[in-house]
Amino acid sequence: MTVAAEFPAQIPAPLLAGRLLAWYDRHRRRLPWRAEPGEEVDPYRVWLSEIMLQQTTVATVGPYFQRFTERWPTVEALAAADLDQVLSAWAGLGYYARARNLHRCAVAVASQYGGRFPDSEAGLKALPGIGDYTAAAIAAIAYDRPATILDGNVERVIARLRLVGDPLPGSKPALKRLAAEITPDIRPGDYAQAIMDLGATVCTPRSPKCLTCPWSDACAARVAGVAGDLPRKTPKKTKPTRRGTCFFLLGGDGAVLLRRRPESGLLGGMQEVPSSPWHETDAAPGDLDHHAPVAGIDWAELPGAVRHTFTHFHLELAVRSARLPSLPPVAGARWWPIERLGEAALPTVMAKVVRHAMAHLL
Ligand code: SF4
């Protein structure tokens, strides 16, 4: 007896979309920014969540989203906020250029668009901080436009469904084209959220739950037995390690010297414990003195180091400390009472530096 090789069922795109929507109606995730069935979608909440979710997990974003929407319930309220307040509320979420663009975008929507986000991908992409993916997500979710979204979840689902063996990121255009073939005109906003949910809860990176998948019989990777191997990725270069030294200066009865980083570049506009530049080569000790915020002080090197990983490099920071009896003015820097450090927009790496220093000094 011959056994026919198994082939995935040839299921027309509208039927695939319909099946996924039916699955979504039963299994959709409840998320703080997502409108419940029958509820009106608020483009402000969709936009805010999509910006926060870039490079950041749903679990991390949840409390930030809650705090932002309680404090600034509308785009006009966010536009009226001080950038410093926004940066401070964003502290810990990382990728701080997003926070600055978030504020610029809110100002643009409030002042140029009467508080209404544009409802097309092209209109959305004209705003600060909104790229291809975010424009498609907002157009689909907030305005029910048949825009094709392609985030990590969707890439994985489509690579498996259509057995795309070429590695990411080179395969993105092909994946987008294949994803667009299935994107329906009916309920495209729900469909966009459905395919993201499928990737997040069923078609997971390891051990996809194919038995419960609404696309199981159509899935070429499942049939070929390679679902867990896709999508392939071009190996990343190993991250270099950069090193620097922070200068933790305590003054008076308990204030810490902080300064603001330049607006452009990594952690732009955020507060920092004054630091030497971060390089892959070690700085000569004499050079370090030159970067101290106050000259003529005896700096003591604290034991250990602070480690942090950014997208493109690891960072290792030595910490030097000193105390001053008073709070002399320091150009470009400001004294922060220790009990008010929570109000400084300290990015995660600098919060680690402060904790490290305080553990040794207080
Ligand atoms: Fe993913 Fe499995 Fe569904 Fe294919 S059948 S889309 S691999 S969960």
Side-chain angles (χ1 to χ4, degrees):
M1 188 178 75
T2 54
V3 178
E6 199 186 349
F7 291 103
Q10 296 294 309
I11 298 175
L15 199 54
L16 280 178
R19 276 197 202 171
L20 185 58
L21 284 166
W23 172 86
Y24 179 69
D25 290 340
R26 291 196 304 279
H27 301 290
R28 51 183 282 144
R29 288 179 294 174
R30 298 194 72 189
L31 299 170
W33 43 86
R34 186 175 274 179
E36 290 295 306
E39 245 177 41
E40 201 175 326
V41 180
D42 180 351
Y44 169 64
R45 293 169 71 87
V46 174
W47 162 74
L48 183 60
S49 65
E50 288 298 337
I51 301 293
M52 287 183 164
L53 286 164
Q54 290 167 9
Q55 321 272 351
T56 311
T57 63
V58 164
T60 302
V61 166
Y64 282 87
F65 181 83
Q66 214 72 47
R67 282 199 293 275
F68 264 68
T69 48
E70 274 165 25
R71 192 164 174 190
W72 301 298
T74 63
V75 70
E76 287 93 344
L78 184 59
D82 262 8
L83 175 60
D84 276 352
Q85 293 175 321
V86 176
L87 287 173
S88 180
W90 191 275
L93 262 185
Y95 302 93
Y96 295 92
R98 285 186 297 167
R100 287 199 309 282
N101 278 332
L102 184 88
H103 190 249
R104 284 174 56 215
C105 184
V107 170
V109 171
S111 61
Q112 295 166 30
Y113 296 85
R116 271 188 61 84
F117 282 84
D119 62 2
S120 69
E121 283 181 80
L124 287 159
K125 271 200 280 186
L127 291 167
I130 299 188
D132 288 348
Y133 164 75
T134 309
I138 299 171
I141 299 168
Y143 296 112
D144 219 18
R145 300 269 184 258
T148 300
I149 53 156
L150 195 72
D151 69 352
N153 283 322
V154 180
E155 285 167 0
R156 184 167 61 255
V157 172
I158 296 296
R160 290 171 175 177
L161 178 74
R162 297 308 194 205
L163 196 59
V164 176
D166 291 341
L168 286 165
S171 57
K172 274 177 193 266
L175 292 173
K176 180 134 190 188
R177 186 173 43 76
L178 292 166
E181 285 171 10
I182 312 174
T183 304
D185 290 327
I186 298 165
R187 299 177 61 193
D190 282 346
Y191 175 84
Q193 295 172 95
I195 192 165
M196 288 194 277
D197 280 14
L198 188 74
T201 63
V202 175
C203 195
T204 47
R206 281 176 287 280
S207 314
K209 305 171 187 72
C210 301
L211 286 175
T212 61
C213 177
W215 286 351
S216 184
D217 58 346
C219 180
R222 182 197 63 76
V223 169
V226 296
D229 301 333
L230 296 179
R232 297 205 171 90
K233 294 189 179 160
T234 306
K236 286 188 181 147
K237 286 192 226 147
T238 46
K239 288 183 190 184
T241 298
R242 295 185 194 171
R243 293 184 179 81
T245 296
C246 285
F247 296 89
F248 187 83
L249 188 55
L250 271 175
D253 289 335
V256 179
L257 190 74
L258 298 182
R259 73 178 174 196
R260 189 191 290 280
R261 290 179 62 85
E263 284 299 318
S264 59
L266 189 72
L267 308 178
M270 306 296 287
Q271 299 285 344
E272 70 168 0
V273 176
S275 146
S276 68
W278 304 339
H279 292 308
E280 285 174 45
T281 47
D282 287 329
D287 285 354
L288 281 176
D289 294 342
H290 166 71
H291 294 293
V294 178
I297 302 182
D298 278 340
W299 295 92
E301 183 135 355
L302 299 179
V306 173
R307 291 183 179 79
H308 191 75
T309 294
F310 292 98
T311 322
H312 301 298
F313 65 94
H314 301 293
L315 178 64
E316 208 173 283
L317 290 172
V319 182
R320 292 184 176 187
S321 75
R323 285 178 192 263
L324 288 176
S326 59
L327 305 177
V330 179
R334 160 177 176 193
W335 292 100
W336 284 75
I338 286 178
E339 66 275 10
R340 286 188 42 221
L341 280 179
E343 297 166 31
L346 277 180
T348 304
V349 60
M350 288 299 152
K352 285 185 190 175
V353 169
V354 168
R355 277 199 300 275
H356 179 80
M358 307 258 254
H360 287 92
L361 295 174
L362 299 181

